């Protein structure tokens, strides 16, 4: 009978030994834009700005799947202890990172 399939770190691709601690992760990056470029008109041409944006997107050469990839990306898997340390350090603001390096 075979044991569980060996785990591989999603970052460094190293095969993890069965006794090694590993870290599960799920990462979602979603693109957002809070405000469209301000309209030139004082009376609030937001509808015109939105219509112009939609028209640019429809006329653009981008494949819809490419546009989706620009605004939504997901990944999940496992990471080894070393890659976890790098990710935590990279994603922690300096003000919160008071530990020794």
């Amino acid at each position: 009978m075979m044991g569980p399939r060996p785990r591989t770190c999603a970052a460094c691709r190293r095969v993890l030994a069965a006794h090694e601690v590993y870290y599960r992760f799920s990462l979602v990056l979603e693109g957002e834009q809070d405000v469209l470029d301000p309209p030139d008109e004082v009376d609030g041409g937001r509808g015109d700005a939105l219509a112009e944006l939609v028209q640019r997107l429809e006329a653009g050469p981008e494949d819809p799947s490419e546009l989706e990839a620009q605004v939504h990306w997901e990944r999940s898997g496992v990471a080894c202890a070393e890659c976890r340390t790098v990710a935590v350090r990279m994603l922690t603001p300096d003000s919160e990172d008071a530990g020794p390096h």
Side-chain angles (χ1 to χ4, degrees):
M1 182 169 178
M2 291 181 52
R5 194 175 86 213
R7 289 180 170 70
T8 302
C9 176
C12 70
R13 309 304 301 162
R14 185 171 64 81
V15 174
L16 305 174
H19 68 274
E20 274 187 272
V21 173
Y22 62 90
Y23 300 87
R24 292 191 182 279
F25 71 88
S26 180
L27 179 62
V28 177
L29 300 177
E30 294 181 336
E32 295 184 8
Q33 184 176 0
D34 292 335
V35 180
L36 293 173
D37 291 335
D40 292 341
E41 304 121 29
V42 178
D43 63 346
R46 284 196 189 119
D48 293 340
L50 184 57
E52 183 181 322
L53 176 63
V54 170
Q55 184 178 9
R56 269 197 332 243
L57 290 173
E58 288 175 346
E62 291 91 355
D63 179 341
S65 62
E66 290 176 23
L67 291 173
E68 173 69 15
Q70 292 176 21
V71 296
H72 186 89
W73 182 84
E74 288 187 39
R75 179 97 189 259
S76 61
V78 297
C80 66
E82 292 83 8
C83 290
R84 177 208 176 269
T85 300
V86 171
V88 168
R89 187 176 297 151
M90 183 178 68
L91 296 172
T92 302
D94 290 338
S95 61
E96 293 180 19
D97 192 6
H101 297 299

